[in-house]
């Protein structure tokens, strides 16, 4: 290896590392040689700017001017960059433009501290999206453990600071000597019970998290102040590209990306945009593409049996017998979750919209509030993209008009017109159009990903970020069409299978997806084992949750089949139930129920009945392997830039955070089967970037014969051929490949996994005799 190999402008592949105090820059530096050998071209780092002390993710930034001390500071980042470059690797930085932390103590975030002290006259007031017209011109801080009068004695004044446990608030100059109650009333902020956030908060948040305050990055000065350090690191060669967190929270995502492209010199940039179904990425966005959840959706769908998924859904509905809108049916469950959010958790945001609409139209606030709610819950994607003063895109117009028509309430049409910017220009008109879109994105994320996903779960592999459980599968022709569009429109977009935000790692989903090929055996097995378990638990005095929750628990049981996973499964079920909010919740915890749930989960995974999972687990082994290797190879060779989540080069069974955000622990130096496949594909991409990059081509290749539908194959640039097996259990049930052939393009083709050479028409029994996948190169 040369001393300083050149780092490509566009990555051939990235490797995501979750930086945190237990895995700082120095730890990342230590694994650089291993990751360079694996074959990636760039390290994809979680946020590196100063965050809340102890943060394990870094998305709670408190200071945009400094690289995080707990990770090793800027010196540590520069050392990591130097070591990476010595091994031919670059760095991709994660940018958090939408929000920053409301930390405790509050002085950790200087811009916010100065606003709390000086109010709307502070030069930092423009940083934050605060509705100063509400709350009597004060900023609501929902941090108290109870109503103010009940906790007054827990507040303490120390010099120019007001203290409440770990919180520290500035005191408005000139009010320091007032009696406590008068002093509180004289501040630019109002301390309130944390429960008041949903109905009274007057600053934009990240979703419904009051500890994260929205930043007005659309303001040029705010953009420059919050991006100066990251842009300097790009200019100075410390880093090479950017990943943009949650662009849907921004007032004008397209405008932000244009400004960022200019400021960064056109560096490779991908955005964490969640596309729903066939929703396209807005064509005018100045970026390379998404972070890859749209690819995840198609890849997972490719290895899911549509008929089996439907059969499992019918069995789930019968087994769980839940009410339609409480997990019994998908669409009804989503609608109820959304309705709950717009009337409770996002009530303050809806009220702000209603007040702005009232000032424009003169209509009554209650009527406007109802119309806003009814329109919001009918938006099928994250948000419309409307910029005040510009024509609304046709897709946004069609979507908003359909939502208004479906709402069937007075003022729904007015709400749509305001959201589309049709009622002229002015502060309130512009504010409504911008804020409506931001509230819409928060509603979609919270109602679908963070609520409905935890209430409806016939097959947990479908409940994933970027996926639509109503569309469980992706036919091969649809997958090919998607790849052709990527290669044509977004050839340098990101692709992904696991992230720090996925509910379950790729290998968990591969195992669960295999159940879609065994709907009959799954239903028969679960009926029997459930009856046996209930009888055993009844004698043991162990409480059993309702059958719907039990159904979810059995899916985890067949994934892990190990007593060592008992605590992980118990913690995951607890989080799931709190997110669902039907039997317990984060804010209304039922401790007795939660204790019973934990006891049940641990007994199910580690107790005497755990042997019962062995039968179904054996049936899943072969199709899981085919799914795992097939998804891996497709991901690494399809159009786009693949991102590998830390540890995912090996079989990795991880559940939702915090389990999937643990510090990276490199595995054995000896590559596993999946690791060997990963390294082979990554090195091929690295060594032949022209075969896979923006000037490459993508060509589907079709098998011929009775089992042709089980083969997915495609050519990249006419030089690299991917062949994978889909729905392998169904294939075996039907008698295998039965003479099905794949006609190879002219020339001699070598499978890099087996080193065997083929030409002409090759029987798939022969080509895939040792592996369910093949990676062939010409010559």
């Amino acid at each position: 290896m040369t001393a300083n190999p050149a780092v490509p402008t566009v990555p051939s592949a990235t490797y995501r590392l979750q930086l945190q105090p237990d895995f700082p820059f120095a730890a990342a530096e230590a694994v650089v040689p291993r990751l360079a050998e694996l074959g990636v071209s760039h390290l994809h780092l979680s946020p590196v700017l100063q965050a809340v002390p102890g943060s394990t993710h870094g998305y709670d930034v408190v200071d945009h001017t400094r690289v995080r001390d707990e990770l090793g500071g800027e010196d540590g980042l520069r050392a990591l960059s130097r070591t990476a470059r010595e091994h031919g690797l670059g760095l991709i930085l994660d940018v958090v433009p939408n929000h920053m932390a409301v930390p405790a103590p509050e002085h950790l975030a200087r811009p916010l501290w100065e606003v709390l002290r000086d109010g709307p006259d502070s030069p930092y007031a423009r940083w934050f999206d605060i509705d100063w017209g509400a709350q009597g011109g004060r900023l609501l801080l929902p941090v108290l453990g109870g109503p103010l009068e009940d906790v007054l004695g827990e507040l303490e004044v120390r010099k120019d600071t007001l203290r409440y446990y770990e919180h520290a608030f500035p005191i408005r100059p000139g009010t320091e000597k007032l009696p406590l109650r008068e002093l509180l009333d004289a501040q630019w902020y109002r301390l309130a019970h944390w429960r008041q956030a949903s109905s009274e908060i007057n600053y934009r948040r990240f979703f419904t998290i009051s500890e994260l305050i929205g930043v007005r990055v659309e303001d040029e000065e705010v953009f420059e102040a919050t991006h100066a350090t990251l842009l300097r690191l790009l200019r100075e060669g410390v880093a090479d590209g950017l990943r943009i967190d949650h662009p849907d929270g921004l007032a004008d995502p397209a405008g932000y990306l244009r400004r960022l492209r200019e400021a960064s010199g056109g560096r490779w940039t991908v955005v964490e945009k969640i596309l729903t179904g066939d929703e396209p990425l807005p064509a005018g966005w100045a970026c390379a593409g998404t972070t890859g959840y749209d690819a995840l959706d198609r890849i997972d769908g490719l290895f899911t049996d549509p008929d089996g998924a439907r059969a499992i859904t019918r069995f789930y509905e019968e087994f769980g017998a839940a009410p339609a809108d409480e997990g019994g049916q998908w669409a009804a469950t989503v609608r109820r979750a959304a309705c709950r959010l717009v009337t409770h958790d996002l009530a303050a945001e809806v009220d702000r919209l209603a007040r702005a609409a009232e000032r424009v139209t003169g209509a009554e606030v209650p009527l406007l509030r109802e119309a806003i709610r009814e329109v919001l819950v009918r938006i099928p994607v994250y948000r419309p993209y409307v910029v005040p003063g510009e024509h609304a895109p046709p897709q946004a117009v069609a979507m908003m008009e359909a939502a208004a028509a479906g709402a069937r309430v007075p003022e729904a049409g007015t709400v749509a017109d305001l959201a589309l910017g049709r009622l002229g220009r002015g502060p309130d008109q512009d504010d409504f159009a911008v804020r409506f879109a931001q509230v819409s994105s928060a509603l979609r994320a919270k109602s679908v990903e963070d609520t409905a996903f935890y209430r409806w779960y016939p097959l947990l592999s479908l409940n994933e970020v970027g996926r639509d459980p109503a569309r469980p599968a992706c036919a091969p022709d649809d997958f090919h069409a998607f790849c052709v569009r990527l290669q044509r429109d977004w050839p340098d977009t990101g692709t992904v299978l696991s992230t720090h935000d996925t509910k379950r790692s790729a290998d968990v989903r591969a195992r669960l997806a295999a159940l879609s090929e065994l709907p009959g055996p799954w239903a028969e097995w679960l009926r029997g084992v459930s009856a046996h378990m209930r009888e055993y638990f009844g004698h043991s005095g162990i409480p059993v949750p309702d059958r719907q929750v039990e159904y979810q628990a059995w899916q985890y049981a067949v994934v892990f089949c190990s007593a060592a996973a008992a605590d992980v499964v118990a913690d995951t079920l607890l989080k799931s139930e709190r997110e669902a909010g039907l039997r317990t919740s984060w804010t209304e915890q039922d401790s007795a129920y939660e204790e019973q749930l934990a006891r049940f989960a641990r007994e199910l995974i580690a107790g005497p009945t755990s042997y019962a999972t062995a039968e179904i687990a054996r049936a899943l082994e072969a199709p899981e392997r085919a799914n795992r290797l097939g998804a891996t190879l497709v991901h690494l060779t399809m159009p786009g830039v693949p991102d590998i989540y830390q540890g995912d080069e090996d079989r990795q069974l991880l559940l939702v955070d915090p389990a999937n955000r643990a510090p990276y622990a490199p595995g054995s130096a000896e590559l596993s089967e999946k690791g060997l496949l990963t390294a082979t594909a990554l090195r091929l991409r690295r060594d032949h970037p022209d075969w896979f990059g923006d000037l490459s081509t993508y060509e589907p290749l079709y098998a011929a014969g009775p089992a042709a539908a089980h083969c997915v194959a495609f050519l990249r640039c006419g030089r690299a051929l991917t062949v994978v097996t889909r729905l392998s259990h169904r294939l075996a049930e039907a008698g295998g490949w039965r003479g099905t052939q794949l006609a190879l393009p002219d020339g001699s083709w070598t499978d890099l996994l087996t080193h065997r050479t083929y030409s002409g028409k090759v029987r798939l029994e022969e080509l895939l005799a040792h592996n369910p996948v093949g990676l062939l190169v010409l010559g």
Side-chain angles (χ1 to χ4, degrees):
M1 182 175 292
T2 59
N4 288 289
V7 173
T9 302
V10 175
S12 63
T14 61
Y15 193 96
R16 168 77 176 202
L17 290 173
Q18 285 295 106
L19 301 169
Q20 51 189 291
D22 289 336
F23 191 84
F25 297 133
E29 192 177 352
V31 300
V32 163
R34 173 190 178 93
L35 300 182
E37 180 66 19
L38 185 65
V40 300
S41 67
H42 290 70
L43 304 183
H44 169 192
L45 306 180
S46 59
V48 301
L49 296 183
Q50 192 81 340
V52 170
S55 174
T56 58
H57 52 80
Y59 290 95
D60 43 5
V61 176
V62 296
D63 187 346
H64 295 86
T65 68
R66 294 168 58 196
V67 175
R68 190 174 176 187
D69 294 333
E70 289 178 300
L71 302 180
E74 186 164 328
D75 287 345
L77 177 60
R78 288 179 176 276
L80 170 59
S81 177
R82 285 193 298 271
T83 298
R85 273 164 164 63
E86 289 170 0
H87 289 79
L89 304 185
L91 302 183
I92 305 298
L93 301 182
D94 202 330
V95 184
V96 191
N98 175 69
H99 54 268
M100 65 184 297
V102 181
E106 282 67 12
H107 64 72
L108 291 173
R110 179 172 170 255
L112 178 62
W113 175 267
E114 298 208 8
V115 172
L116 295 178
R117 185 188 64 202
D118 300 328
D121 291 332
S122 167
Y124 286 102
R126 65 192 305 166
W127 275 51
F128 304 108
D129 193 1
I130 299 170
D131 182 8
W132 291 105
Q135 297 298 322
R138 296 196 291 165
L139 177 65
L140 185 83
L141 291 179
V143 299
L144 302 180
L148 177 60
E149 299 303 328
D150 293 349
V151 302
L152 203 57
E154 300 167 29
L155 297 168
E156 180 184 4
V157 175
R158 299 183 194 168
K159 296 184 179 179
D160 57 354
T161 304
L162 178 64
R163 298 276 181 170
Y164 177 73
Y165 295 100
E166 70 274 19
H167 295 278
F169 311 100
I171 293 177
R172 185 176 178 179
T175 68
E176 299 89 344
K177 297 182 179 180
L178 292 174
L180 180 59
R181 198 63 183 81
E182 293 180 28
L183 181 146
L184 290 171
D185 290 340
Q187 302 313 307
W188 287 113
Y189 52 87
R190 175 188 161 213
L191 302 184
H193 187 196
W194 61 267
R195 291 185 182 277
Q196 294 172 249
S198 61
S199 59
E200 299 184 48
I201 201 158
N202 63 334
Y203 60 85
R204 182 170 60 86
R205 301 171 286 177
F206 173 68
F207 297 158
T208 58
I209 302 174
S210 300
E211 292 78 15
L212 296 173
I213 184 170
V215 174
R216 296 185 63 252
V217 75
E218 65 270 20
D219 183 291
E220 186 172 354
E221 289 187 19
V222 178
F223 174 90
E224 291 175 355
T226 54
H227 288 65
T229 298
L230 295 174
L231 293 172
R232 176 174 57 80
L233 292 171
L234 289 177
R235 287 194 306 271
E236 295 175 0
V238 177
D240 307 273
L242 302 170
R243 179 259 190 200
I244 309 303
D245 182 65
H246 187 48
D248 276 339
L250 304 180
D252 178 11
Y256 167 79
L257 290 170
R258 286 195 299 270
R259 178 176 286 164
L260 184 64
R261 170 169 285 184
E262 181 179 355
S264 71
R267 300 301 183 100
W268 182 79
T269 299
V270 290
V271 294
E272 187 208 22
K273 168 60 188 157
I274 312 300
L275 298 168
T276 303
D278 294 324
E279 177 191 12
L281 184 66
W285 282 19
C287 62
T290 74
T291 54
Y293 288 114
D294 46 337
L296 180 155
D297 175 43
R298 272 68 173 197
I299 298 170
D300 275 15
L302 196 60
F303 297 94
T304 302
D305 185 293
D307 294 333
R310 285 189 286 269
I312 284 177
T313 298
R314 290 192 294 270
F315 169 62
Y316 160 81
E317 292 171 352
E318 168 201 329
F319 185 93
D325 61 356
E326 292 186 2
Q329 295 178 3
W330 173 244
T333 297
V334 172
R335 179 62 57 83
R336 173 168 177 167
C339 289
R340 166 74 186 184
L341 278 153
V342 293
T343 54
H344 292 81
D345 304 71
L346 293 170
E349 285 81 355
V350 170
D351 281 347
R352 177 177 177 177
L353 289 170
R355 292 194 304 273
E358 185 266 342
R359 291 191 293 271
V360 174
T361 67
E364 296 180 5
V365 166
L367 289 176
L368 290 165
R369 185 186 297 119
E370 180 187 15
I372 290 166
R373 291 169 177 165
E374 291 298 320
V375 173
L376 277 170
V377 300
R378 286 170 171 79
I379 295 177
V381 298
Y382 265 62
R383 58 171 280 177
Y385 295 100
V386 177
V387 178
E390 299 180 9
H391 289 294
Q395 302 97 320
V397 173
M399 178 177 67
M400 292 304 305
E401 289 180 345
R408 298 180 181 276
V409 296
E411 310 299 342
T414 299
V415 168
D417 286 342
L418 278 168
L420 291 169
R422 288 171 164 173
L423 299 187
R425 297 295 305 279
D428 290 315
Q429 290 96 326
D430 292 357
D431 183 74
F432 187 97
V434 169
R435 307 307 162 215
F436 183 91
Q438 292 172 317
V439 174
S440 176
S441 71
L443 174 63
R444 181 74 184 181
K446 293 300 295 181
S447 61
V448 176
E449 295 173 20
D450 292 344
T451 305
F453 273 4
Y454 294 100
R455 294 181 177 180
W456 186 93
Y457 33 72
L459 198 59
L460 283 168
S461 56
L462 304 180
N463 295 19
E464 192 50 83
V465 181
R467 297 221 68 198
D468 179 0
R471 301 187 353 164
C474 181
D477 280 346
D478 293 334
F479 176 79
H480 290 313
F482 171 73
C483 289
V484 168
R485 289 195 301 273
L486 279 191
Q487 185 61 43
R488 180 191 66 210
D489 300 333
W490 302 99
D492 295 329
T493 188
T495 63
V496 78
L497 283 180
S498 294
T499 76
H500 63 290
D501 276 334
T502 44
K503 308 297 185 185
R504 294 154 199 95
S505 65
D507 292 336
V508 170
R509 302 197 310 275
R511 187 168 179 82
L512 289 169
L515 285 174
S516 70
E517 302 179 61
L518 296 91
W522 165 247
E524 181 181 359
W525 174 81
L526 186 50
R527 286 191 187 100
V529 75
S530 174
H532 173 71
M533 179 274 297
R534 284 179 173 270
E535 180 180 357
Y536 164 77
F537 277 31
H539 292 314
S540 303
I542 299 171
V544 179
D546 65 46
R547 290 176 69 85
Q548 189 185 15
V549 177
E550 179 196 343
Y551 183 95
Q552 180 183 181
W554 281 117
Q555 291 187 72
Y556 288 126
V558 301
V559 167
F560 289 99
C561 307
S562 168
D567 288 343
V568 171
V569 172
D571 291 345
T572 299
L573 279 177
L574 174 59
K575 173 164 183 165
S576 176
E577 285 294 272
R578 286 181 176 174
E579 295 281 11
L582 295 175
R583 305 163 189 88
T584 187
S585 71
W586 295 107
T587 57
E588 301 287 348
Q589 295 174 15
D590 184 335
S591 58
Y593 173 75
E594 291 184 355
E595 290 172 6
Q596 293 172 0
L597 182 68
R599 186 180 177 193
F600 162 77
R602 291 188 175 93
E603 187 70 18
L604 187 72
I605 302 298
T609 63
S610 61
Y611 74 90
T613 59
E615 177 187 353
I616 194 74
R618 283 194 297 271
L620 292 176
E621 287 178 2
E624 178 207 339
R625 175 176 177 253
N627 290 352
R628 180 173 68 249
L629 298 180
T632 298
L633 184 56
V634 167
H635 173 221
L636 297 179
T637 55
M638 68 182 289
V641 177
D643 182 51
I644 296 88
Y645 191 64
Q646 58 181 31
D648 241 20
E649 65 271 25
D650 294 316
R651 183 174 185 259
Q652 185 164 237
L653 302 179
L654 294 177
L655 302 180
V656 70
D657 63 278
N660 67 346
R661 297 184 181 181
Y664 176 48
S668 168
E670 184 176 346
L671 290 175
S672 64
E673 179 183 46
K674 183 182 176 185
L676 181 60
L677 172 63
T678 300
T680 300
L682 288 176
R683 292 166 187 169
L684 184 65
R685 292 187 67 100
R686 180 193 61 195
D687 296 343
H688 299 281
D690 53 321
W691 294 6
F692 298 93
D694 60 342
L695 298 180
S696 178
T697 58
Y698 177 95
E699 180 184 351
L701 210 60
Y702 293 95
H710 292 277
C711 173
V712 173
F714 54 84
L715 280 167
R716 301 305 313 278
C717 209
R719 302 300 302 271
L721 171 61
T722 291
V723 184
V724 302
T725 307
R726 67 183 293 264
L727 310 185
S728 62
H729 182 79
R730 296 286 204 197
L731 173 67
E733 281 186 318
W737 291 110
R738 291 163 289 154
T740 300
Q741 294 182 328
L742 185 66
L744 304 180
D746 292 344
S748 176
W749 293 82
T750 300
D751 188 344
L752 298 180
L753 304 177
T754 63
H755 307 294
R756 295 171 180 256
T757 300
Y758 306 91
S759 61
K761 291 183 179 179
V762 59
R763 292 164 59 92
L764 290 175
E765 290 101 328
E766 179 186 356
L767 179 63
L768 303 178
H770 302 283
N771 297 305
V773 302
L775 177 57
L776 287 72
V777 295
L778 180 63

Coordinates of all heavy atoms in Angstrom, one line a residue, residues 629-667:
L629 N -27.4 -13.6 2.6 CA -26.3 -13.4 1.6 C -26.8 -12.7 0.4 O -26.1 -11.9 -0.3 CB -25.7 -14.8 1.3 CG -25.0 -15.5 2.4 CD1 -24.5 -16.8 2.0 CD2 -23.9 -14.7 3.1
G630 N -28.1 -13.0 0.0 CA -28.6 -12.4 -1.2 C -28.8 -10.9 -1.0 O -28.4 -10.1 -1.9
A631 N -29.4 -10.5 0.2 CA -29.5 -9.0 0.4 C -28.2 -8.3 0.5 O -28.0 -7.2 0.0 CB -30.3 -8.8 1.7
T632 N -27.2 -9.0 1.1 CA -25.9 -8.4 1.2 C -25.3 -8.1 -0.2 O -24.8 -7.0 -0.5 CB -24.9 -9.3 2.0 OG1 -25.4 -9.4 3.3 CG2 -23.5 -8.7 2.0
L633 N -25.3 -9.1 -1.1 CA -24.7 -9.0 -2.4 C -25.5 -8.0 -3.3 O -24.8 -7.2 -4.0 CB -24.6 -10.3 -3.1 CG -23.9 -10.3 -4.5 CD1 -22.5 -9.8 -4.3 CD2 -23.9 -11.7 -5.1
V634 N -26.8 -8.0 -3.2 CA -27.5 -7.0 -4.0 C -27.2 -5.6 -3.5 O -27.0 -4.7 -4.3 CB -29.1 -7.3 -3.8 CG1 -29.9 -6.1 -4.3 CG2 -29.4 -8.6 -4.6
H635 N -27.2 -5.4 -2.2 CA -26.9 -4.1 -1.7 C -25.5 -3.6 -2.1 O -25.3 -2.4 -2.5 CB -26.9 -4.2 -0.1 CG -26.4 -3.0 0.6 ND1 -25.6 -3.0 1.7 CD2 -26.6 -1.6 0.3 CE1 -25.4 -1.7 2.1 NE2 -26.0 -0.9 1.3
L636 N -24.5 -4.5 -2.2 CA -23.1 -4.1 -2.5 C -22.9 -3.9 -4.0 O -21.8 -3.4 -4.3 CB -22.2 -5.1 -1.9 CG -22.2 -5.1 -0.3 CD1 -21.2 -6.2 0.2 CD2 -21.9 -3.8 0.3
T637 N -23.8 -4.4 -4.8 CA -23.5 -4.3 -6.3 C -24.5 -3.6 -7.1 O -24.3 -3.3 -8.3 CB -23.3 -5.8 -6.8 OG1 -24.5 -6.5 -6.5 CG2 -22.1 -6.4 -6.3
M638 N -25.7 -3.2 -6.5 CA -26.7 -2.4 -7.2 C -26.2 -1.0 -7.4 O -25.2 -0.6 -6.8 CB -28.0 -2.5 -6.4 CG -27.9 -1.7 -5.1 SD -29.5 -1.8 -4.1 CE -30.6 -0.8 -5.1
P639 N -26.9 -0.1 -8.2 CA -26.5 1.3 -8.3 C -26.5 2.0 -6.9 O -27.4 1.7 -6.1 CB -27.6 1.8 -9.2 CG -28.0 0.6 -10.0 CD -28.0 -0.5 -9.1
G640 N -25.6 2.9 -6.8 CA -25.5 3.7 -5.6 C -24.3 3.4 -4.8 O -23.5 2.5 -5.2
V641 N -24.1 4.1 -3.7 CA -22.9 3.9 -2.8 C -23.4 3.2 -1.5 O -24.1 3.8 -0.7 CB -22.3 5.3 -2.4 CG1 -21.2 5.1 -1.5 CG2 -21.9 6.0 -3.7
P642 N -23.0 2.0 -1.3 CA -23.4 1.2 -0.2 C -22.8 1.7 1.1 O -21.6 2.0 1.2 CB -23.0 -0.2 -0.5 CG -21.8 -0.1 -1.4 CD -22.1 1.1 -2.2
D643 N -23.6 1.8 2.2 CA -23.1 2.1 3.5 C -23.3 0.8 4.4 O -24.4 0.3 4.5 CB -23.9 3.2 4.1 CG -23.4 3.6 5.5 OD1 -22.2 3.9 5.6 OD2 -24.3 3.7 6.4
I644 N -22.2 0.4 5.0 CA -22.2 -0.8 5.9 C -22.2 -0.3 7.3 O -21.3 0.5 7.7 CB -21.0 -1.7 5.6 CG1 -21.0 -2.2 4.2 CG2 -20.9 -2.8 6.6 CD1 -20.3 -1.4 3.1
Y645 N -23.2 -0.7 8.0 CA -23.3 -0.3 9.4 C -22.3 -1.1 10.2 O -22.0 -2.3 9.9 CB -24.7 -0.6 10.0 CG -24.9 0.1 11.4 CD1 -24.8 1.4 11.5 CD2 -25.1 -0.7 12.5 CE1 -25.0 2.0 12.8 CE2 -25.3 -0.1 13.7 CZ -25.2 1.2 13.9 OH -25.4 1.8 15.1
Q646 N -21.7 -0.5 11.3 CA -20.6 -1.1 12.1 C -21.0 -2.6 12.5 O -22.0 -2.8 13.1 CB -20.3 -0.3 13.3 CG -21.5 0.0 14.2 CD -21.1 0.9 15.4 OE1 -20.3 1.7 15.3 NE2 -21.8 0.6 16.5
G647 N -20.1 -3.5 12.1 CA -20.3 -4.9 12.5 C -21.1 -5.7 11.5 O -21.2 -6.9 11.6
D648 N -21.8 -5.0 10.6 CA -22.7 -5.7 9.7 C -22.1 -6.6 8.6 O -22.7 -7.3 7.9 CB -23.7 -4.7 9.0 CG -25.1 -5.0 9.4 OD1 -25.4 -5.6 10.4 OD2 -26.0 -4.5 8.7
E649 N -20.7 -6.5 8.6 CA -20.1 -7.4 7.6 C -20.2 -8.9 8.1 O -19.9 -9.8 7.4 CB -18.6 -7.1 7.4 CG -17.7 -7.2 8.7 CD -17.7 -5.9 9.5 OE1 -18.7 -5.1 9.4 OE2 -16.8 -5.7 10.2
D650 N -20.5 -9.1 9.4 CA -20.7 -10.4 10.0 C -22.2 -10.5 10.3 O -23.0 -9.5 10.3 CB -19.9 -10.6 11.2 CG -18.4 -10.6 11.0 OD1 -18.0 -11.3 10.0 OD2 -17.7 -10.0 11.7
R651 N -22.7 -11.7 10.5 CA -24.1 -11.9 11.0 C -24.3 -11.2 12.3 O -23.6 -11.4 13.2 CB -24.4 -13.4 11.1 CG -25.8 -13.7 11.5 CD -26.1 -15.2 11.5 NE -27.5 -15.5 11.7 CZ -28.0 -15.9 12.9 NH1 -27.2 -16.0 13.9 NH2 -29.3 -16.2 13.0
Q652 N -25.3 -10.3 12.3 CA -25.4 -9.4 13.4 C -26.9 -9.3 13.7 O -27.7 -8.8 12.9 CB -24.8 -8.0 13.1 CG -24.9 -7.1 14.3 CD -23.9 -5.9 14.1 OE1 -23.0 -5.7 14.9 NE2 -24.1 -5.1 13.0
L653 N -27.3 -9.7 14.9 CA -28.7 -9.7 15.3 C -28.9 -8.6 16.3 O -28.6 -8.7 17.5 CB -29.2 -11.0 15.9 CG -29.0 -12.2 15.0 CD1 -29.5 -13.5 15.7 CD2 -29.8 -12.1 13.7
L654 N -29.4 -7.4 15.8 CA -29.5 -6.2 16.7 C -30.9 -5.7 16.6 O -31.6 -5.7 15.5 CB -28.6 -5.1 16.2 CG -27.1 -5.4 16.4 CD1 -26.3 -4.2 15.8 CD2 -26.7 -5.6 17.9
L655 N -31.4 -5.2 17.7 CA -32.8 -4.7 17.8 C -32.6 -3.2 18.0 O -31.6 -2.6 18.0 CB -33.5 -5.3 18.9 CG -33.7 -6.8 18.8 CD1 -34.5 -7.4 20.0 CD2 -34.4 -7.2 17.5
V656 N -33.8 -2.5 18.1 CA -33.9 -1.0 18.1 C -33.0 -0.4 19.2 O -32.7 -1.1 20.2 CB -35.3 -0.6 18.3 CG1 -35.8 -1.0 19.6 CG2 -35.6 0.8 17.9
D657 N -32.7 0.9 19.0 CA -31.8 1.5 19.9 C -32.3 1.4 21.4 O -33.5 1.4 21.5 CB -31.6 3.0 19.6 CG -32.9 3.8 19.7 OD1 -33.7 3.7 18.7 OD2 -33.2 4.4 20.7
P658 N -31.5 1.3 22.4 CA -30.0 1.5 22.3 C -29.2 0.3 21.9 O -28.0 0.5 21.7 CB -29.7 2.0 23.7 CG -30.7 1.2 24.6 CD -31.9 1.2 23.8
A659 N -29.8 -0.8 21.7 CA -29.0 -2.0 21.4 C -28.2 -1.9 20.1 O -27.1 -2.3 20.1 CB -30.0 -3.2 21.3
N660 N -28.7 -1.2 19.1 CA -28.0 -1.1 17.9 C -27.1 0.1 17.8 O -26.5 0.4 16.8 CB -29.0 -1.1 16.7 CG -29.8 0.2 16.6 OD1 -29.9 0.9 17.6 ND2 -30.5 0.4 15.5
R661 N -26.9 0.8 18.9 CA -26.0 1.9 19.0 C -24.9 1.7 20.0 O -24.2 2.6 20.4 CB -26.8 3.2 19.4 CG -27.8 3.6 18.3 CD -28.5 4.9 18.7 NE -29.5 5.2 17.7 CZ -30.3 6.3 17.7 NH1 -30.1 7.2 18.7 NH2 -31.2 6.6 16.8
A662 N -24.6 0.5 20.3 CA -23.6 0.1 21.3 C -22.2 0.5 20.6 O -22.1 0.5 19.4 CB -23.6 -1.3 21.6
P663 N -21.2 0.7 21.4 CA -19.9 0.9 20.9 C -19.4 -0.2 20.0 O -19.7 -1.4 20.2 CB -19.0 1.1 22.1 CG -19.9 1.4 23.2 CD -21.2 0.8 22.9
Y664 N -18.8 0.1 18.9 CA -18.3 -0.9 17.9 C -17.3 -1.8 18.5 O -16.3 -1.3 19.2 CB -17.7 -0.1 16.7 CG -17.1 -1.1 15.6 CD1 -17.8 -2.2 15.2 CD2 -15.9 -0.8 15.1 CE1 -17.2 -3.0 14.2 CE2 -15.3 -1.6 14.1 CZ -16.0 -2.7 13.7 OH -15.4 -3.5 12.7
A665 N -17.5 -3.1 18.4 CA -16.6 -4.1 18.9 C -16.2 -5.0 17.7 O -16.9 -5.9 17.3 CB -17.2 -4.9 20.0
P666 N -15.0 -4.7 17.1 CA -14.6 -5.5 15.9 C -14.6 -7.0 16.3 O -14.2 -7.4 17.4 CB -13.2 -5.0 15.7 CG -13.1 -3.7 16.3 CD -14.0 -3.7 17.5
G667 N -15.0 -7.8 15.3 CA -15.1 -9.3 15.5 C -13.8 -9.9 15.2 O -12.7 -9.3 15.2

